[in-house]
Amino acid sequence: MTEGKENKEDEIEVFPFIEGETIDLVAGNSKWVPLVCKWQNDPKVRRYARNMWPVTIEDIKKWFEPSPDRHTKEFVVFTIYHKRDKRPIGSVGFGHINWVSRNANIFATIGEPEYWGKGIAIEANKLLIKYGFTELNFHKIYAGVFTPNKRSLRAAEKLGFEKEAILKEEMYVDGVYHDIHKFALFKRDWIKSNQTES
Ligand SMILES: CC(C)(COP(=O)(O)OP(=O)(O)OC[C@H]1O[C@@H](n2cnc3c(N)ncnc32)[C@H](O)[C@@H]1OP(=O)(O)O)[C@@H](O)C(=O)NCCC(=O)NCCS
């Protein structure tokens, strides 16, 4: 599989790690560094992802460097690759992985806003959650969403996350203090809801 937007000589090989219907979760490619940098700095995308600092190409390159021992790794990230359009459109992954308490923070960014509202975040998160519970053996996956991010609030609810807490006026964005909604999904509840669905 190759990225369609490239010239023939620049074709990028894509290695799906987890296969979905509309998208695959693929291993990152260092040729996508400028693209990821664009997503991180895009005013529309970064506002909801709460990136307050400019991100440089050098910063992003570090994400693609060989990771430390997998048993101490605190971070795992995939590129969301659109199968029909043959292009990378975002990133999804786990951060703050705690291998003793077996929990992690889930994050997702669809860096190309033209792909927002098409159910892609839901699909990518479902694939990642399954990976987290059935391959990495997480006990709990959590997320924090600030009030204006209606898409993420809706996505958390649809994915079966329960609201654990509201941190009042925790986040200052565009001159206003916003509440952060803390969500969590436990493996036992995820197993139950998957049994009900099938
Ligand atoms: C948040 C984000 C990942 C969601 O991705 P997405 O692919 O657009 O999400 P989905 O299409 O799967 O939609 C999720 C839900 O939000 C709903 N939604 C879409 N636009 C909405 C809006 N403006 N207001 C309220 N709900 C909305 C969708 O309808 C869907 O619910 P439904 O299936 O019941 O209809 C994406 O918008 C993004 O990357 N934003 C910028 C970065 C970011 O916010 N990251 C997350 C930080 S917590």
Side-chain angles (χ1 to χ4, degrees), residues 84-99:
R84 192 198 54 215
D85 296 353
K86 297 193 187 327
R87 61 185 288 213
I89 58 166
S91 314
V92 69
F94 294 117
H96 302 287
I97 301 174
N98 183 322
W99 294 109

Side-chain angles (χ1 to χ4, degrees), residues 44-50 107-111 115-123 125 144-146 149-152 154-155 158:
K44 195 171 171 198
V45 179
R46 78 175 183 84
R47 176 170 190 267
Y48 288 110
R50 309 186 309 264
F107 62 85
T109 299
I110 310 291
Y115 289 88
W116 288 4
K118 297 180 190 296
I120 289 175
I122 300 277
E123 184 179 347
N125 277 298
V145 181
F146 81 136
N149 197 346
K150 303 293 178 219
R151 284 187 177 85
S152 285
R154 181 80 192 107
K158 280 195 85 174

Side-chain angles (χ1 to χ4, degrees), residues 131-162:
Y131 169 68
F133 286 139
T134 64
E135 294 198 55
L136 302 184
N137 193 22
F138 289 156
H139 173 64
K140 174 180 180 178
I141 295 172
Y142 60 87
V145 181
F146 81 136
T147 308
N149 197 346
K150 303 293 178 219
R151 284 187 177 85
S152 285
L153 289 173
R154 181 80 192 107
E157 202 178 280
K158 280 195 85 174
L159 290 161
F161 282 75
E162 297 278 338

